[in-house]
Amino acid sequence: MSSEKVGRNDPCHCGSGKKYKKCCLGKDDDRVSTDEATPSAGPTGRSNAAVAAAMNKKMGGAAVVSPYTIAKMAEDPRAAGDDPELRRTIELAVRTGWTIKKLEAMPTGAIEAQIQGYGVHHSIERFLRLAEGGLSAWSLSETWIAEDRVHRSGKAGGAEDFLGLAACELWKRLLPDRPSVEMIDDWMQGGYVLLEEKKGPETCDLWWKSWSAIRDRILQPEMRTMSLVDRVLQGYQSIFNWSQDLERELGNAAIKDLRFAALGRRFCSEWLAQFTDESAKIQAGFVRALGRFLMRLGELQEAERVLGSAVERWPDDPWVYICLADAYAQVFRGEHLPLDLDKARTLLERAQTIRGLEARDRQVVEARLKDLAAR
């Protein structure tokens, strides 16, 4: 924060338009001016660098993840897998280094004082200005290091780690409605934690928040494959796996709550419109999911059109035939079209004729035909 004194009746420095006494005066009481700030006797280790080096060694090359993701790995014992050396490195990082949780527990004023103590000319106004048009909070800290005379040695040490994590934490507090890629990554990972706790609907809500942020903040027309999005996110989870997990969990939640069927319809539609250069197999999977969401919502004519077009577009994919046949045979409650066993049988027989049909897919098709014969 700037050392210039702000009067109680002056406009607040945060840009809210309110008087200082009606806005940030109480929040600023414990903040320290740039001239007074000195690094506190905090962690001394370089946790991110140590964990990154260990991860690179394990992976046999440079990790394609962000420094923030490395920091998340440093707090997740599962990141080590069965590697005892990496586990020891992570445990040491948590004990001696700056971590996300340690920054989350610090008051804003204390974070800002520590930033200033490292030699950064920090103020809220400058932070917001640097954040304009940006996506990564961590990259903001790299601007501090490039432009200011940052003290990288001394009792507190770990300037890069602290400043990166501090920028991420301040972004959460100052710009909650304009999420950074680090915030989006937190939400994506948080959904997996909820999923482990068997909180499916809560997972869907948090992941829908993640997708909305990705859609509104990151996606560009030229990003026609998910790998291009991963280059921006560089997160703990790949969007390739995560997007399929979101589709699956929305489908599970839609069985009891049609609100999730509506979200699933929108998600699949937006995904298909965006990722037009993805493989035929994964595109067909999202079209099948879209058809199932449409049936859940009672939009049967549109569902029949969507699934029928999938059969014509991907004639060598047995699962588009199976999906539409299941709908005509009313195999799954809530995901069906008007009963028509003849159409179901014809579709499955067409699937049998696919050249190079894999044995496990053939078994599924034959099992479906056997079930139809018994009805």
Side-chain angles (χ1 to χ4, degrees):
M1 182 176 171
S2 172
S3 60
E4 182 180 355
K5 185 174 180 59
V6 181
R8 290 173 56 84
N9 292 311
D10 291 340
C12 187
H13 54 66
C14 75
S16 66
K18 300 178 183 179
K19 290 184 178 181
Y20 181 53
K21 66 182 181 181
K22 296 288 188 180
C23 194
C24 290
L25 176 60
K27 302 176 186 176
D28 290 344
D29 285 343
D30 65 336
R31 290 178 182 161
V32 184
S33 72
T34 304
D35 294 334
E36 298 170 339
T38 56
S40 65
T44 59
R46 288 289 308 281
S47 62
N48 294 350
V51 175
M55 287 294 296
N56 287 343
K57 181 179 179 181
K58 179 180 180 181
M59 297 169 64
V64 288
V65 292
S66 68
Y68 186 74
T69 300
I70 294 295
K72 290 172 75 73
M73 290 178 177
E75 296 186 49
D76 185 356
R78 295 171 299 182
D82 57 358
D83 187 329
E85 180 182 353
L86 181 55
R87 183 175 298 278
R88 285 193 296 270
T89 302
I90 289 176
E91 290 172 351
L92 180 63
V94 171
R95 289 198 308 271
T96 65
W98 290 109
T99 65
I100 296 170
K101 290 181 180 178
K102 289 172 184 176
L103 269 291
E104 287 176 344
M106 292 176 67
T108 298
I111 293 175
E112 292 187 312
Q114 186 81 0
I115 292 171
Q116 293 164 345
Y118 278 121
V120 175
H121 300 299
H122 168 69
S123 67
I124 292 177
E125 295 89 342
R126 185 190 183 198
F127 186 96
L128 296 176
R129 184 174 67 254
L130 291 175
E132 287 181 6
L135 294 173
S136 169
W138 195 285
S139 67
L140 191 151
S141 75
E142 294 170 346
T143 300
W144 287 337
I145 293 171
E147 295 183 356
D148 300 347
R149 301 185 67 177
V150 172
H151 313 309
R152 304 192 188 197
S153 60
K155 189 174 183 180
E160 289 89 345
D161 285 358
F162 176 83
L163 293 176
L165 295 174
C168 293
E169 184 61 28
L170 286 182
W171 192 304
K172 294 177 189 177
R173 301 182 189 188
L174 298 176
L175 296 166
D177 297 326
R178 186 150 61 87
S180 64
V181 291
E182 292 84 5
M183 292 169 65
I184 297 171
D185 190 41
D186 283 344
W187 296 340
M188 292 169 73
Q189 188 62 18
Y192 283 103
V193 174
L194 290 171
L195 197 57
E196 289 178 357
E197 298 172 354
K198 302 189 184 303
K199 296 179 179 179
E202 292 86 347
T203 297
C204 290
D205 284 331
L206 186 55
W207 279 353
W208 180 254
K209 183 179 179 181
S210 307
W211 170 252
S212 298
I214 291 169
R215 180 194 63 214
D216 298 340
R217 296 271 291 143
I218 295 175
L219 292 184
Q220 300 295 327
E222 64 272 15
M223 293 180 175
R224 294 189 291 272
T225 64
M226 290 181 284
S227 62
L228 295 175
V229 181
D230 276 330
R231 293 180 188 178
V232 178
L233 282 175
Q234 295 185 0
Y236 205 89
Q237 301 292 334
S238 74
I239 193 170
F240 181 89
N241 293 327
W242 173 81
S243 63
Q244 294 175 83
D245 292 340
L246 173 54
E247 175 266 302
R248 183 192 66 243
E249 292 307 317
L250 285 170
N252 291 336
I255 295 173
K256 294 183 178 180
D257 188 342
L258 289 182
R259 177 171 71 88
F260 294 110
L263 291 180
R265 173 184 57 189
R266 182 174 177 183
F267 173 60
C268 290
S269 297
E270 292 175 346
W271 189 98
L272 287 162
Q274 181 71 40
F275 300 118
T276 54
D277 287 349
E278 280 295 345
S279 69
K281 182 177 181 180
I282 193 169
Q283 286 194 61
F286 273 89
V287 170
R288 297 199 310 270
L290 175 59
R292 292 195 297 269
F293 286 124
L294 288 166
M295 287 186 285
R296 284 275 169 198
L297 293 167
E299 300 179 25
L300 302 186
Q301 287 186 337
E302 180 63 9
E304 188 172 28
R305 185 195 69 78
V306 166
L307 295 176
S309 67
V311 169
E312 301 308 316
R313 183 176 178 185
W314 297 292
D316 294 328
D317 185 336
W319 285 96
V320 295
Y321 296 95
I322 294 168
C323 184
L324 186 53
D326 285 348
Y328 283 128
Q330 298 186 351
V331 171
F332 298 109
R333 183 179 180 183
E335 296 180 0
H336 58 75
L337 299 172
L339 184 66
D340 195 324
L341 299 183
D342 289 336
K343 285 185 178 179
R345 185 177 298 104
T346 298
L347 285 161
L348 293 171
E349 289 172 348
R350 285 179 62 184
Q352 280 185 307
T353 66
I354 294 174
R355 181 177 298 179
L357 184 63
E358 293 186 9
R360 59 183 178 180
D361 293 336
R362 184 175 297 280
Q363 289 174 359
V364 173
V365 172
E366 290 175 352
R368 292 289 205 281
L369 282 168
K370 184 177 179 180
D371 290 341
L372 285 179
R375 293 174 66 170

